[in-house]
Amino acid sequence: MLTIATGNKAVAAAVKAARPGVIAAYPITPQTEIVEQIADYVTDGDLESRYIPVESEHSAMAACIGASAGGVRTFTATSSHGLLYMHEMVHWAAGARLPIVMANVNRALGPGWNTWAEHTDAFSQRDTGWLQVFVGTVQEAYDATLMAFKIAENERVLLPVMVNQDGFALSHIMQSLETVEIGDFLPPFHLPHAIDTENPCGYGPMTGPADYFRFRWDIERSMRDARGVIADVEREFAERFGRTYGPTEDYRCEDADVVVVAVGTLGKEAEMAIDRLRDEGVKAGSMRLRWFRPFPDLDLSGRDVVVIDRDYSFGFGGVVAHSIRSKTGIEPYSVIAGLGGQEVTYNDIADFVRNRRPGEETWFGVSDHV
Amino acid sequence: MYEIRIHSRGGQGGVTAAKLLALAAFRDGKHATACPFYGAERRGAPVVSFVRIDDQPIKVYSQIHEPDLVIVLDTSIMDVVDVLQGLKDGGTVFLNSAHALEECNGTCCRHVDLTGIALAQDLVVAGSPILNTPVLGALAKMGIVTLPSVEQAIQEMFADERNVKAAKAAYEELKV
Amino acid sequence: MSGNRIAKLSLQLMTIIEERSVNNLSAIPKEEYLYKCTSACAGCSSSLCLRYVLKAAGPDSVLVVPACCTSVIQGMYPGTAMNVPVYNIAFAAAAACASGMSDAFATLGRETNVIVYAGDGGTVDIGIQALSGAFERGTNFLYICYDNEAYGNTGMQRSGSTPLGARTTTTPGGKPTAKKDLDRIVEAHNPPYMATACSAYPLDLYKKVKKALSIEGPKFIHILAPCPPGWRYPTEKTVEMGKLAVKTAQWILYEREFGKLTINGPSKAAMKKPAPLEDYIKSQGRFKNLSPEIFDLMRQQVEQNIQRLSREEAGVC
Ligand SMILES: Cc1ncc(C[n+]2csc(CCOP(=O)(O)OP(=O)(O)O)c2C)c(N)n1
Ligand code: SF4
Ligand SMILES: [Mg+2]
C-alpha cells in the first residue's frame, strides 16, 4: 500500500509486519512515536505481540534478552541517552548471540539537553557486536527494519541489529511509504540455543580465558559472515519487492574526481549538492554509508574524498573519516558538521567540496581549518 | 520544487496542516515531504513547519530558507516572528485573516478568515478552532493542490465530514 | 553538639516561629526565583509549585533536575527562567548526583540546600534505585517528586505513577494496572520527614518545604501536580483540579515527622466526608469511557487509603 508516513511510523509498520512475540521499549524523544504507534497497534488488536512497558532502557534490553532467549522474535526502540543507559545490556545481547532488532533514532548526548540528530549515540556502541545500518529515507527505514530481522535471525549471524535513522530530520518527516505483503520473506522465528528444559544448560556462566576467547572470535566470525548474509537478504528483498540496497548508496560516483561520504539524511542531502556541482562542471559524486558494522570495503581509490561526520571521537577525530582512512589509506577532508541538529544544507555541502583540503579537519561554522 | 513554510502556534494544527498538504500533493501524483521543525517549545509557542512539492523525488532535509509561499495561521505571530523572511521574489503570503496585509511590498498576499469558517462549522476542539483542514481549501484555490485531492487527504486523516465542508468553504471564499 | 547541628536547630526554631506567621499567601516572600519566561504549557501546575518551593528554599539552594518537563521549562541556553543554580542531570541519576553534591557541600562546610525536583517517571520508574540508595545512606537533601502522573516531557506516556484506567499515549485503552504507591516505598526507608502536597495548596507546600529544609537527613515531598495537556482539562481549571483531588480524598495531604503522621487541614474534612469521586474523574479527558468496574476499584482504593491513614494517625496498627 502506498501512503505517506514519518520515519518513526515506517519503523512501526515494519515491526507490525514482522510480528515479534515480545516488544519491550521505553519512550524517549524523538523515538517516542514508534513506541506509541506500537502501543496503538497492540491495543487495537492489529498486532498480537506482548508489549512490555518497562521502567527504563536497561530493563527494555534486559526484557528483550529474556524474551529472545525464551524463543520469540523481539524488538525495541530507543535513542541517545536511552541507548547509553542500556549499554551494558547492548553488549550482553550480542554476547548472548540474540537476534534482537532495535530501532535507534539518532540524537545528540547531554549535557546540555539536545534532542536533535547526531550519530555519536550509535557510534558509541560500535564495539558491542551489534550490526548497524543507517537509513536515509522513510521507505528505507521500513525496508531496513524488515530486513534486519531476517539478517539477525540467520543462523550464520545470530547477532542483534540496530537500525539507525536521524532524529527529527527523518523520524518526524513525512515522505512516501510503500508497505509490502511480506509473505514468507521472514521465516518463523527459530533460535537454536533457545531455553529448553529438555536440554538443560547454563547460559553465560563463569567462563575461563580459553573458552571466553573463542566465544569472542565466534562473534567476529559471524560479523564477517554477516556481509554475505546482508548481501543475500538485500538481493532477495530486491527480487521480491523491487527496491535495491547495498553497503553504500552511490550517486554519480562512476567518473567522479571527488566523492562526498556521509551518513543518514546528510548523505541524501549530499546528492542535491552533487547535482549543483555537476552543473558547475565539477565531477563530484556521493556515497552514503549504510552499513557501519560490519564496515564495508569501499572503492574510493584515485579520488578526493570529503567525509562529513555527524559525530566525534574526542582526542581522535571524526569516526567515519578515520574509519575510511584506516580502511582505504586515503587522507580525506574531514568535515565535522550537523552535531546536535546543526543545520547543514546542500549549498553548505557543495562548499565543503569546493573548499576541500584533503588531510585536514574542519568543524563547520565553528573552527577554520584545523 | 515548490517550498512552503507554515507559521502557527503549538497546538493550532500547523504540523497537521503540513502533513495534510503533503498528503494532498501526493494524491495529486506529486512527490511531497512535510517536516515540522521541532523546538523545545510547549503549547502556544510559535512553530514552523515545511512542505516541499516537486515532480522529482525530494532529497532535501534541511529547513526551507527561501520559501515560495508563506502560510500564517495566526497573525499574532507576526509581532514576534518575521514571517516574510527569505520569501522569494514573486512569492506569496497567505494569512488566516479577514484582512490583507497592510504593507505587501509587492508580494502577492491572499487571505481567508479560516477561524470564522471553522467557527461557522463548529469545528472546535478543546476550545480552539480547527484551521488545518480549511486552509487546505484555500491552497486548492491557489492551485497548489487540487480540490479532489484535498478532500481525499482530509478524509484519509479525519472522519468528521465538517472538515471537508470547511475546506470547501475556504475554497469558495478565497478571491484569486 | 556540633556547630552545624546548633545552626540547624536554631533554623528549626525560626521556622516554627515563621510558620505561625505565614498563614496567608501574602506573607510568602516576594522574591522570585522562577521568572515569568518559562516555556511551560499554559496552566502548568508543576511550575507553579516550583515557584513556591524556591520561595521557601531561598537563594542558598541548588536544584538538581533529572530529565523531565522541568528540564524544558527552564528555557533554552543561554537564557534561563531560574534564579538559583540548576544542575541538570541524566534521567536516572538525580538522587545519586544530589548525594555527591550534598557531601561536597558538607566537606566545604556549606549550608546550601540541595533539592531534587524530579517528575514521577524520574522517581518511581527509572530513578527509584538512586532514590532508595540516597535515602538508605541518609543523604542530607530534600527530594521533591512533582507528580503529573505520566511522562509529560515526552508527550504523555504512562509512568508507574499513572493511575488505573487513565489513558496515555502508551495506554490508549486506559492503564490496566494501579498507581505505584511511592509514598509507602519511601516510608519503608524511615526518613525523618516526608509529606504530600498539592499544587492547589501553595501555602501548605511552602510550609512543608520550609520545615523539611530545617531537618537534617533525607527528606521527601510528593506533590500532586495536575497537568492540562496530560489530564485533558481546560488550562484554567488547574487549581480546581488539584482541589478536587484533595476534596475527593483521591489525594491526601499529610506529613510524617520522625514516623509520626499528621493529616493536614483540607484533607481532615475530606477524609471524613469525601466529595464524590465522579467529580474528579468526569472532569478529565484521560478518564473518558472509564468502565464502572475500574471506577469501583478506584473508589475502593480511596476508601482503603483513608482507612489506612486514619488508623495510622490514631495510632491503631
Ligand atoms: C535514559 C533516558 N531515557 C529516556 C529519556 C527520555 N525522557 C526524558 S524526560 C522523560 C519523561 C519524564 O517523565 P517524568 O519524570 O514524569 O517528568 P515529566 O516530564 O512528567 O515532568 C523521558 C521518558 C531520557 N532523557 N533518558
Ligand atoms: S506537560 Fe504538564 S507538567 Fe509538563 S510543562 Fe506542560 S503542563 Fe507542565
Ligand atoms: Mg511526570
Side-chain angles (χ1 to χ4, degrees):
Chain A
M1 197 186 74
L2 197 59
T3 178
I4 66 170
T6 61
N8 278 338
K9 288 253 165 85
V11 168
V15 171
K16 182 168 136 222
R19 306 210 159 274
V22 169
I23 297 163
Y26 195 70
I28 180 164
T29 307
Q31 154 269 31
T32 312
E33 202 185 7
I34 301 178
V35 181
E36 292 177 340
Q37 182 66 54
I38 286 174
D40 271 349
Y41 286 150
V42 172
T43 307
D44 297 346
D46 294 335
L47 176 59
E48 278 173 25
S49 311
R50 284 173 183 263
Y51 167 68
I52 308 182
V54 281
E55 74 290 349
S56 78
E57 289 84 0
H58 194 272
S59 297
M61 188 51 73
C64 284
I65 288 170
S68 186
V72 302
R73 180 171 292 152
T74 52
F75 173 80
T76 188
T78 192
S79 171
S80 177
H81 284 264
L83 182 61
L84 298 204
Y85 196 63
M86 65 167 65
H87 176 68
E88 181 189 18
M89 294 290 104
V90 173
H91 269 283
W92 199 281
R97 310 304 305 264
L98 298 171
I100 297 164
V101 171
M102 167 159 65
N104 180 46
V105 183
N106 303 106
R107 163 188 151 181
L109 305 169
W113 288 124
N114 175 305
T115 57
W116 293 288
E118 190 178 313
H119 300 143
T120 311
D121 58 353
F123 289 173
S124 74
Q125 309 299 309
R126 66 176 186 201
D127 301 333
T128 53
W130 280 63
L131 279 67
Q132 286 198 32
V133 61
F134 287 78
V135 305
T137 65
V138 167
Q139 184 68 57
E140 195 185 345
Y142 177 85
D143 296 346
T145 305
L146 272 185
M147 285 189 272
F149 287 102
K150 190 164 172 113
I151 294 164
E153 292 167 16
N154 186 296
E155 289 201 9
R156 288 164 63 207
V157 179
L158 288 179
L159 285 171
V161 179
M162 190 188 300
V163 181
N164 291 283
Q165 63 169 307
D166 286 344
F168 290 115
L170 190 58
S171 65
H172 283 63
I173 191 172
M174 296 200 85
Q175 292 177 332
S176 58
L177 170 69
E178 188 180 358
T179 54
V180 299
E181 290 297 328
I182 62 164
D184 59 359
F185 176 71
L186 274 184
F189 185 83
H190 170 70
L191 183 73
H193 56 295
I195 289 171
D196 177 7
T197 48
E198 299 285 307
N199 176 23
C201 53
Y203 291 80
M206 289 288 293
T207 308
D211 285 322
Y212 180 87
F213 197 82
R214 205 167 47 76
F215 290 151
R216 296 288 117 173
W217 163 240
D218 270 348
I219 294 176
E220 174 54 16
R221 207 170 44 188
S222 299
M223 228 357 142
R224 292 179 190 188
D225 287 348
R227 288 165 205 250
V229 173
I230 291 168
D232 290 347
V233 171
E234 288 177 344
R235 194 174 315 113
E236 186 187 336
F237 190 88
E239 280 159 12
R240 285 191 185 229
F241 307 119
R243 287 185 292 272
T244 311
Y245 297 98
T248 58
E249 185 184 38
D250 300 347
Y251 185 71
R252 304 181 84 168
C253 279
E254 304 80 31
D255 62 337
D257 299 327
V258 52
V259 173
V260 177
V261 180
V263 177
T265 53
L266 283 179
K268 290 305 279 185
E269 185 102 15
E271 294 182 8
M272 284 287 284
I274 299 308
D275 290 344
R276 294 253 156 148
L277 290 162
R278 288 268 173 179
D279 290 346
E280 291 168 17
V282 181
K283 280 208 225 159
S286 72
M287 188 179 269
R288 180 167 64 85
L289 188 65
R290 293 187 67 248
W291 283 95
F292 176 69
R293 287 291 180 275
F295 199 90
D297 296 321
L298 305 176
D299 180 15
L300 289 162
S301 54
R303 299 125 190 260
D304 274 6
V305 177
V306 176
V307 178
I308 307 173
D309 267 290
R310 188 167 224 164
D311 63 82
Y312 203 69
S313 172
F314 295 106
F316 189 63
V319 173
V320 181
H322 279 268
S323 305
I324 283 173
R325 176 180 299 151
S326 76
K327 279 272 173 186
T328 65
I330 294 172
E331 286 290 336
Y333 176 48
S334 165
V335 182
I336 312 303
L339 304 195
Q342 183 198 34
E343 171 84 341
V344 182
T345 67
Y346 53 87
N347 286 324
D348 300 324
I349 298 175
D351 277 344
F352 300 159
V353 173
R354 293 186 194 108
N355 306 330
R356 66 186 178 278
R357 300 191 196 179
E360 292 188 12
E361 175 183 302
T362 193
W363 285 59
F364 172 51
V366 178
S367 78
D368 286 333
H369 302 282
V370 187
Chain B
M1 185 156 47
Y2 194 74
E3 298 189 307
I4 302 152
R5 188 171 69 210
I6 304 174
H7 293 268
S8 61
R9 288 185 186 277
Q12 278 180 338
V15 174
T16 311
K19 290 183 177 177
L20 273 171
L21 178 54
L23 185 56
F26 187 64
R27 293 293 174 230
D28 278 336
K30 301 263 180 69
H31 291 274
T33 62
C35 55
F37 177 74
Y38 284 89
E41 291 81 12
R42 288 286 188 267
R43 287 214 295 199
V47 289
V48 282
S49 3
F50 308 108
V51 181
R52 290 185 166 96
I53 304 175
D54 202 352
D55 295 326
Q56 310 294 322
I58 297 163
K59 296 169 175 179
V60 192
Y61 290 79
S62 45
Q63 295 172 33
I64 292 174
H65 300 281
E66 292 176 358
D68 299 278
L69 167 65
V70 168
I71 298 170
V72 184
L73 289 183
D74 182 338
T75 48
S76 75
I77 284 176
M78 289 156 60
D79 300 335
V80 279
V81 178
D82 177 10
V83 298
L84 296 184
Q85 194 180 26
L87 182 67
K88 277 197 188 116
D89 283 345
T92 308
V93 185
F94 173 85
L95 306 179
N96 166 24
S97 167
H99 315 282
L101 212 58
E102 267 171 28
E103 293 165 44
C104 279
N105 291 341
T107 49
C108 168
C109 180
R110 310 223 174 274
H111 64 96
V112 168
D113 178 12
L114 303 174
T115 308
I117 289 175
L119 293 177
Q121 299 284 342
D122 200 22
L123 261 181
V124 180
V125 169
S128 314
I130 301 291
L131 307 174
N132 48 28
T133 46
V135 73
L136 266 271
L139 295 171
K141 188 67 161 281
M142 289 159 65
I144 291 155
V145 278
T146 65
L147 193 57
S149 293
V150 163
E151 281 181 45
Q152 194 184 342
I154 292 176
Q155 279 159 353
E156 279 180 47
M157 280 175 66
F158 300 99
D160 190 338
E161 268 301 310
R162 286 175 304 176
N163 285 297
V164 173
K165 279 198 191 137
K168 284 185 172 161
Y171 183 91
E172 295 304 327
E173 206 156 297
L174 182 78
K175 307 277 171 289
V176 240
Chain C
M1 207 186 276
S2 74
N4 256 357
R5 193 102 197 122
I6 293 169
K8 279 275 169 193
L9 277 180
S10 57
L11 192 69
Q12 216 164 330
L13 204 66
M14 272 164 53
T15 314
I16 292 165
I17 295 164
E18 196 176 340
E19 219 175 82
R20 300 242 159 87
S21 61
V22 181
N23 272 325
N24 58 62
L25 279 175
S26 61
I28 290 179
K30 298 278 173 289
E31 285 79 21
E32 295 291 351
Y33 304 97
L34 179 68
Y35 293 134
K36 286 179 181 159
C37 52
T38 72
S39 40
C41 310
C44 173
S45 81
S46 81
S47 37
L48 195 67
C49 293
L50 183 54
R51 180 166 168 239
Y52 287 102
V53 166
L54 291 174
K55 279 173 182 277
D60 190 15
S61 305
V62 185
L63 271 194
V64 177
V65 177
C68 58
C69 281
T70 310
S71 330
V72 176
I73 68 176
Q74 296 160 46
M76 180 86 83
Y77 177 87
T80 176
M82 315 283 303
N83 196 18
V84 292
V86 180
Y87 206 83
N88 289 289
I89 194 72
F91 199 14
C97 175
S99 272
M101 203 173 278
S102 166
D103 275 5
F105 291 159
T107 307
L108 297 170
R110 277 171 65 173
E111 293 284 321
T112 306
N113 300 311
V114 176
I115 304 172
V116 171
Y117 198 70
D120 47 302
T123 305
V124 309
D125 293 336
I126 200 167
I128 194 126
Q129 170 175 315
L131 173 75
S132 176
F135 273 71
E136 184 274 332
R137 286 190 294 273
T139 292
N140 181 29
F141 77 142
L142 168 60
Y143 191 109
I144 299 177
C145 170
Y146 68 92
D147 190 352
N148 58 8
E149 302 191 318
Y151 296 162
N153 183 35
T154 39
M156 291 302 154
Q157 298 78 33
R158 85 190 278 286
S159 80
S161 203
T162 301
L164 180 70
R167 282 162 197 267
T168 66
T169 59
T170 46
T171 54
K175 185 172 177 244
T177 55
K179 183 179 170 91
K180 197 188 273 192
D181 196 339
L182 171 65
D183 298 323
R184 287 163 86 189
I185 297 173
V186 173
E187 187 196 339
H189 295 75
N190 295 315
Y193 182 84
M194 63 180 287
T196 58
C198 172
S199 57
Y201 301 86
L203 192 60
D204 177 69
L205 171 63
Y206 176 87
K207 290 184 188 172
K208 283 172 174 169
V209 173
K210 276 271 182 212
K211 190 185 281 179
L213 290 173
S214 71
I215 297 170
E216 181 93 18
K219 287 85 60 180
F220 178 77
I221 300 178
H222 187 181
I223 311 174
L224 184 72
C227 160
W231 297 17
R232 299 187 219 162
Y233 62 82
T235 49
E236 68 276 12
K237 295 250 152 74
T238 246
V239 173
E240 193 179 318
M241 212 52 64
K243 292 229 152 116
L244 273 174
V246 170
K247 285 185 178 151
T248 55
Q250 160 76 21
W251 189 256
I252 298 174
L253 300 174
Y254 65 81
E255 49 195 336
R256 197 181 274 112
E257 289 167 78
F258 299 99
K260 166 127 185 51
L261 181 82
T262 314
I263 309 287
N264 303 121
S267 284
K268 279 190 192 143
M271 282 168 72
K272 288 207 187 79
K273 196 176 179 309
L277 189 57
E278 288 89 336
D279 295 357
Y280 181 67
I281 301 294
K282 293 254 160 68
S283 52
Q284 298 172 42
R286 63 176 173 158
F287 291 120
K288 209 167 125 192
N289 302 334
L290 197 74
S291 74
E293 294 76 34
I294 300 272
F295 182 75
D296 266 355
L297 283 173
M298 291 171 95
R299 200 175 4 221
Q300 284 168 27
Q301 186 64 58
V302 170
E303 195 43 47
Q304 278 170 17
N305 286 345
I306 292 177
Q307 287 183 9
R308 183 170 52 80
L309 289 169
S310 311
R311 277 202 307 270
E312 188 187 332
E313 199 188 29
V316 190
C317 286

